[in-house]
Amino acid sequence: MSDLASTTAPAASLDELEQAHADLVAAGLDLDLTRGKPGADQLDLSTDLDGIIGDDWMLDGVDTRNYGSLDGLPSIKAIGGRLLGMPATNVLAGGNSSLELMGRYLVHAHVFGVGGPDTAWNRGQPKMLCPVPGYDRHFSLTEHLGIEMVPVELTEDGPDMDRVEELVGNDHDVVGMWCVPKYANPTGITYATEVVRRLARLGQVASDHFRIMWDNAYAVHDLTDQPDYLESIFTEAEVNGTQDSVVQFASTSKITLAGSGVAFLGTSLGNLAAFRDHLQYFTIGPDKVNHLRHVRKLGGSRAIGDHMAAQAELIRPKFAIVQEVLADGLGDDGRHGHWSTPSGGYFVSFWSRPGLAGEIVDLAARAGVKLTPAGAAFPYGDDPDDSHIRLAPTYPAQDDVRRAMEVFVTCVKLATARADTTS
Ligand SMILES: Cc1ncc(COP(=O)(O)O)c(C=O)c1O
C-alpha cells in the first residue's frame, strides 16, 4: 500500500473530467502498460551473450552443440540452484520458458500421473488453489487443461493460509496450488516466513499427488537496497519431509533476454526422475549452447547480483513515476482506490472502488492507453469486485510511463466521479 501521508486528490468537477478525457481521446495516444516485458535498455545489458562463446563450445567436458543431457549440465544447473535456493542436483535446466516447464509438469501430473497412471489428476475432479489476484497465464494454462480453479485471497503476507489448510485438508481433489512467492505478479508482495512454513507443511495432510507450483519468477528482482526476504521452501520442506509436494520454477527471462533465457525446474530427486521419464518423449535435450552462454555470463559468484543491480537502475525510475503520478493525482485518502508499492518485481496493483475496474480500463483504451483487461488476474477472468487493475511499467520509456499514468489517473477520477453522481 502507499505509505505516503494522507492527502486528497486535486478536485475537479465531473464536466471537467469528461472534457479532460475527451481531449485525451482526441490526442490519439498509443501507449501500452499491459505486459511485464523488459525494456530495450534492459535487454541491451545482455547483448554480450551473442559472441560470448567464441570457438570453445565445451561445457563440463561436453560439446554443447550436440544432442543430449536431458536435464542440463552441472554448471547451468548450479545457476538454477542459486535462483531456486537448492542443490544443483535437484534442478533441471530446460529451454527458454519456465511457463512451458510448468505446463509440461502439469501435463505430467494431470494426464500421466506423478506416480504412474493411477495417480493422474484427471482420474478425479482435480482442483487447483489460485491465490488472487495472481498471474493470468497460470490461470489460462490451468483452465486449458480443464482443471477447476479455486480462488484464495492473497493477503499482504501471502495466501490466506487458514483457508488453504481447510481446503487442502478436507478435499483430496485439491491436487495443487499456484504460488508466486516473491514480488508476486501482480501485487508485488512477498510471502512471510510463517506462510512459507505453513505451505511446506501442507504435504503432510494433502494427497500424495498434491503439488505446490512454486513459481519464483522474481527471485532476484529487487528494486531497493532493502530487498524482501523469502524463506527457503526447500529447506522447510526438508524439515517436514514434504519435498515431493513442492516443485519450484524460475528462469532468466527477466535477467538476460526474455525470449532467449534459460528456464529451471527444481524439486525432490524422486519427482525429478519421474519428470525426466516424462520429458524424454518430447526432447532429446535442451539448448545447451544457450546454457553455455548463460554459464559464461552468469557463472561468476557476483555476476547475477551485479547484473540485477544494473537492471534495477533502469527499472526503479519507472516504478517511482508510477507511485508519484498516482499519489499526486489520486491522493492517499482511499477515495479513488489504493495501490501497491512493491520493493521488486515487475508490477504494481491498483484497486479501484468496487465496480469500476472494467470502466477504467475501457476509458483508458479509448484514450490510447492499453491496460491488462480488468479481471485478468483472477481465474476465469472474474474479479468479483471488478476492482483490480495490473500496471506494468517496465517496457515503455520513462516519458511514456508518465504520460500513460497521467491518462490512467484521469480515467480513475472520471469513473469515480461518474459513480459519485449516480449513487
Ligand atoms: C509469475 C511469472 N511466471 C512466469 C512468467 C514467464 O516466465 P518465462 O518467461 O520463464 O516463461 C512470468 C512472466 O511475466 C511471470 O510473471
Side-chain angles (χ1 to χ4, degrees), residues 57-139:
W57 301 91
M58 303 301 281
L59 180 63
D60 301 327
V62 172
D63 187 338
T64 55
R65 297 170 297 180
N66 225 324
Y67 274 140
S69 309
L70 187 61
D71 52 2
L73 293 162
S75 299
I76 189 73
K77 285 157 68 117
I79 291 177
R82 274 157 57 199
L83 293 177
L84 296 172
M86 61 203 308
T89 43
N90 289 74
V91 174
L92 176 144
N96 71 323
S97 164
S98 61
L99 187 65
E100 192 200 0
L101 277 180
M102 294 174 222
R104 286 214 184 279
Y105 196 85
L106 287 188
V107 169
H108 162 57
H110 185 52
V111 180
F112 297 95
V114 292
D118 290 343
T119 68
W121 292 349
N122 68 7
R123 295 277 170 108
Q125 304 289 321
K127 298 173 192 154
M128 276 195 83
L129 304 188
C130 300
V132 292
Y135 178 36
D136 53 353
R137 290 185 191 270
H138 286 165
F139 301 157

Side-chain angles (χ1 to χ4, degrees), residues 247-271:
V247 189
Q248 298 198 57
F249 301 89
S251 78
T252 70
S253 291
K254 284 160 181 166
I255 298 175
T256 56
L257 301 179
S260 302
V262 180
F264 302 100
L265 176 153
T267 187
S268 69
L269 295 177
N271 278 352

Side-chain angles (χ1 to χ4, degrees), residues 24-63:
L24 289 169
V25 173
L29 298 171
D30 184 13
L31 301 167
D32 192 336
L33 289 182
T34 52
R35 300 248 46 115
K37 294 202 294 192
D41 51 356
Q42 292 176 255
L43 301 173
D44 285 344
L45 295 174
S46 296
T47 43
D48 59 338
L49 281 170
D50 191 20
I52 206 168
I53 292 179
D55 56 7
D56 179 4
W57 301 91
M58 303 301 281
L59 180 63
D60 301 327
V62 172
D63 187 338

Side-chain angles (χ1 to χ4, degrees), residues 265-284:
L265 176 153
T267 187
S268 69
L269 295 177
N271 278 352
L272 201 56
F275 183 62
R276 264 200 311 256
D277 281 351
H278 170 74
L279 193 64
Q280 64 176 333
Y281 294 103
F282 298 87
T283 178
I284 306 171

